[in-house]
Amino acid sequence: MNSMYIVIYRGKFGFIKPWTAVRDGETFSQQFLTPSIIEGIEKKLFPELLERNGEIVKIVRHKLRYAAIDSQQEVTQARGWKVTKTQMTRERSILKRGIMIDPVLYLAFQEKADAEIASRQHICLCRNEDLMLPDAEIYQMTEEEFDNIEGFELRFGESPQSFLVGYNRFDGGKPMYGWIEYNGNNLM
């Protein structure tokens, strides 16, 4: 791959839902995007890919950085009901979640036409309220130049340094693996 076309998205805040959230008492936002999150973003940008499950076709690389993480509390309720003689209640618990402040996401495409389509649309990371808007300009760079962008990238696949990063909701719950590459200071 000689050069890639980069679309930069920016938002005021963003949350990446950790796949362990339902089991952890205290969970902070992950600092990387799983294959299913990237696949979901790709399906939003290119709805013609909705029928292709378990593969990422157009987004060839990505990198994420942010200014800070703010810890916020969220009250959750259990699915089941607690029944006593006089009332029915749902158990509550408090989760602490990390919200990224001023996230910046770089999406790399092999084809300029795909980058142009992506550059005219907004995206969300994991929640609909976490809107990220594209910069007006599309950047062309080599893979080495992309590697030098500061931030986090989860490289997808299995290798000696890979770890389990979740289960793919688009591909029958298959395990997803990857390893984190981090360049420089994630702060802007």
Side-chain angles (χ1 to χ4, degrees):
M1 186 182 326
N2 286 343
S3 65
M4 303 180 295
Y5 299 92
I6 313 304
V7 179
I8 302 174
Y9 290 89
R10 300 174 195 277
K12 288 295 175 192
F13 53 90
F15 174 68
I16 301 172
K17 184 173 184 174
W19 68 280
T20 58
V22 295
R23 292 183 292 281
D24 293 344
E26 187 171 295
T27 307
F28 290 95
S29 178
Q30 294 173 335
Q31 297 168 330
F32 57 86
L33 300 173
T34 64
S36 63
I37 295 171
I38 293 294
E39 185 176 349
I41 290 171
E42 185 177 81
K43 287 178 184 325
K44 188 274 178 200
L45 295 172
F46 306 99
E48 66 273 15
L49 299 176
L50 283 169
E51 300 301 318
R52 297 177 78 163
N53 287 329
E55 63 180 320
I56 300 166
V57 179
K58 296 183 182 266
I59 299 173
V60 294
R61 298 274 307 269
H62 69 281
K63 206 163 262 197
L64 177 66
R65 68 181 192 183
Y66 51 87
I69 290 186
D70 182 48
S71 182
Q72 299 181 353
Q73 291 187 0
E74 178 181 329
V75 176
T76 62
Q77 289 185 323
R79 287 181 122 173
W81 290 91
K82 182 178 179 182
V83 180
T84 64
K85 291 182 181 183
T86 58
Q87 65 183 11
M88 291 176 55
T89 57
R90 291 172 72 183
E91 296 289 326
R92 292 185 184 187
S93 63
I94 296 175
L95 295 176
K96 290 184 180 176
R97 302 236 166 135
I99 305 298
M100 291 179 290
I101 306 299
D102 296 325
V104 177
L105 176 63
Y106 299 79
L107 292 182
F109 300 89
Q110 193 167 5
E111 303 295 328
K112 186 175 184 180
D114 294 334
E116 288 170 346
I117 291 168
S119 72
R120 294 188 297 267
Q121 302 179 61
H122 76 278
I123 61 168
C124 304
L125 294 177
C126 289
R127 301 185 302 184
N128 291 338
E129 63 266 27
D130 294 348
L131 287 179
M132 297 185 76
L133 301 175
D135 287 356
E137 188 174 347
I138 295 172
Y139 301 90
Q140 184 175 0
M141 60 180 70
T142 66
E143 198 152 354
E144 286 126 10
E145 290 170 324
F146 191 83
D147 288 340
N148 289 326
I149 296 172
E150 292 183 348
F152 294 93
E153 179 177 16
L154 180 75
R155 300 301 297 264
F156 306 147
E158 292 189 57
S159 73
Q161 68 263 34
S162 292
F163 57 95
L164 181 67
V165 297
Y167 297 94
N168 194 327
R169 61 193 169 103
F170 293 111
D171 196 14
K174 287 184 182 171
M176 298 182 294
Y177 295 93
W179 66 96
I180 293 179
E181 288 184 359
Y182 171 70
N183 182 29
N185 183 357
N186 65 313
L187 300 178
M188 299 192 297

